[in-house]
Amino acid sequence: MPDPHVPHTFDLARIGAGLPAAALIEELSLAEAAPFPRVVVEAPPGTGKTTVVPPMIAEHVAWFSGGSAGAELPGRIIVTQPRRMAARAAARRLASLTGTRLGEVVGFTVRGESRMTTATRIEFVTTGVLLSRLLRDPELTGVAAVILDEVHERQLDTDLAFAMCRELADLREDLAVVIMSATLDARQWAARLGDGPQAPATLLSVAAETHPLEVRWTPAKERPLDARGVTWDFLDHLAATTVRALEENAAGDVLVFAPGTREVDEVASRVRRRVGSSTGAEAGTGLEASAGGGSDSAAVEVHTLTGRTPAKEQDAILRPVDPGSSGTGRNRRVIVSTSVAESALTIDGVRIVVDSGLSRGPRLDTRRRMSGLVTMRESKTSGTQRSGRAARQGPGVAYRCMSESDWASLPEHTPPEIATSDLTSAVLALATWGGDEALLLDPLPAGPKRQAVDNLVALGAVEADHVTETGRAIAAIPASVWAARGLLDGAALLDPVRAAEAIAVIESDQRAPGADLSALMRQLRRSRDARFAQDRRRFASIAREFASDGDGGGSGDCGGNSATSLTPEDLGLVTALSYPLQIARLRSASDSDYLLASGTAASLPRDSSLQGSRWLAIAEVGLAGSRAIIRSAVPIDVDTAELAGAGLLHTEESATFESGKVRAVRRSRLGGIELTSTPIQAGPELARRAIAASVRERGAREVLLPSEAFENLRARLGLLRAVVGEPWPEVTWEHLSATLDQWCPDVLDRIAKGSDPARVDLVSALRGLLPWPEAARLDELAPTHITVPSGSAIRLEYSDPDLIEPQAASGADDDSRADDESPTSPQRAEIPSPILAVKLQECFGWTEVPRICDGRVPVTMYLLSPARRPLAVTTDLASFWANAYAHVRAENRGRYPKHPWPEDPFNAPAAKGTKRSGR
């Protein structure tokens, strides 16, 4: 065990031997970096940057700190990795190169596991662990350098950690910050890490030793994705391509990339069956499936590598082959993996890559207020990284399960998680940190950020733009914000031990069989999973810390035989407390479709034993195209749903207006789920709103059934509004519909009480809009009738106000044009003139058409035959008598011989009837 009081000296020559990244050691020296530098390292995969840079920075910091005996000990070097597997593997490899045991000079800390001592100089952690430390200890006491690795992946936690460390570096002169990536815009990062483009951070780069890579295209016959996700046919094709790769290449391990854990397990199972049967069907191949181990050199071991793979199995897969053994006695391997093996890990012996071309990443559906992992096509950057795995240690072959044209259509880059993920945890972390959000590489998208704030308010984590004590407690718990709130509430309602076990089940990496969370709980208990046991203890300790009850409801083990054992009912309660918006009720006429309290729909998988459960508390929802699939849930009863979703319970009264009647109902809801519905008598205000809503939807004419007298008055007022403007009211139906409660509240009340809309006096309500004293001139300005020369009073027909152009203004004729208005000025829209339809004989002697609105609007004359058929339309009677009348007379005097057709209409007496009647 090294002496913790004497700083360890790293043998950089030995550590970097044979690694291209060893060139960075001299580069850092030549760069004359500051004692606590800000550095950007650009190095392709396989160069050894994760192995070389941490001890290089440790030695650099120690040198400037006076690393001799008796001097102040230099601080610890923290190195982040995007995944637990990568953190463990990097720490184990560096420890072996330093000749020390893991946890002494080099250690790691991931969620639920730590290998550390007081002598540890370099600590590998997941980015989430670093974020938790920054929130707990914003100064990072005792830390001399932070190295953020694999930042090109643009994980949300990495972006947050960068912003926080960048700000901390401004406050602490004795903190080095290093950014490392396989592929990135190095200058952009250098400018961000430094003081802008004029004073960027130190940029170091190294090239990788390149090996030939052959790419073979193996497209499937059918599309890889359907509405439910990855198809079984495509998984068969992926497995067949893997076996083909083994057969076509005599040496080298095969690394297969599948999008998710389910697909990894399915492909591995198919490969085992195919390889196992190939010895009988194709004796020449010499392939035989093996579950791992064995002395038969012709056997093939099939492994799976995911975030859920037990640590010992991960370590065995990633352990380098002993150089002295020359690989003899070791079986060929097929490693089926998710994207965990894409960039941060080097798997010894891989010479062949089979790439599905699919990836799985977080997606936020803001419309449905739902987030989940979505399977999609990979980006070209991701595909290049995957294929490059085959040529890290020598010539390699990559099989891409797509065509060249498919590859050409792929997006260039994978979008950063900040643009696609649920931001609730990120917004809480930034609010708790209290730093400068502008330091993020990309700004938080406005819509998802707004939804995240709404979520935090609902959780009680923030209020009035500040973090509450509950919010700080949630931020301190190493779980999702939802599970953290469930832990706090569950500890209060149950006890810390049972609440902790429930959260350990919810947060487990294991997949719930058939989406049944209770089945997963039983499986975890039977397997005595070490990580699950650690999570239980850790969450129980946290719950006790925040529980108001001092003893926390018990401290015994929460195994299956404990008196405080977690029941399925308890698990359902804590799940519902954690995710109240995902409390769901079965839809009628279905066994698998559910309506969530959030108002969205989701379905159980076909093989789920939960089908038919009336209520579910859902812990995880996945998105498959436009469908939401329930990944894990537990049955609950309605009482549990209402207890856990108490904050979503509300009662609302609504009404509709149909067939002349108002029908009202009182509904109690749990979010978007209707619990009860009871008919009630609508109050006046509710009835008014119902009628107004019906008017908006169906139109006022259809709802109010206005009379002819109402429409006539509305038309007259519409003309005055168009010609004169204020103070005459606006009477378009759009405006009247929007202001119903202002101009006809009494009418609405009468209709609401059951009166027939057609019998209600709307005319009086409309007259209430008339301005005074101008209303006294209504009949003068816009008369209902005009007396013609025969003495008859003929009704004027006014245009519908809805048909008058909005830009129409007072003064429709040329005489009303302003003196300074040019003839070439844009013309006002012409106001439709009222129509006076009258028999031609009643207008003899009339030479001027009548004008209304103080003479500003001429009336349009429809001159009719004795049979009231139109003969002519004019606004100039004198011109009509002088020019067109003779032709009209010639055509009609024979048809209507009993009626007068004088040759001189100017001086002939107007007549109502026939020549014999003398009228």
Side-chain angles (χ1 to χ4, degrees), residues 144 190 206 209 218 284 310 346 402 497 607 641:
V206 65
E209 181 182 354
T218 59
T346 296
M402 66 185 79
V497 173
D607 61 346

Side-chain angles (χ1 to χ4, degrees), residues 82-122:
R83 300 172 186 85
R84 288 174 288 187
M85 185 190 311
R88 280 195 301 263
R92 180 169 283 105
R93 174 163 177 77
L94 184 55
S96 68
L97 291 175
T98 61
T100 61
R101 288 185 297 182
L102 183 63
E104 293 181 347
V105 175
V106 180
F108 71 86
T109 300
V110 298
R111 198 181 87 179
E113 185 180 4
S114 181
R115 298 285 291 274
M116 296 285 294
T117 65
T118 55
T120 302
R121 290 282 314 283
I122 298 175

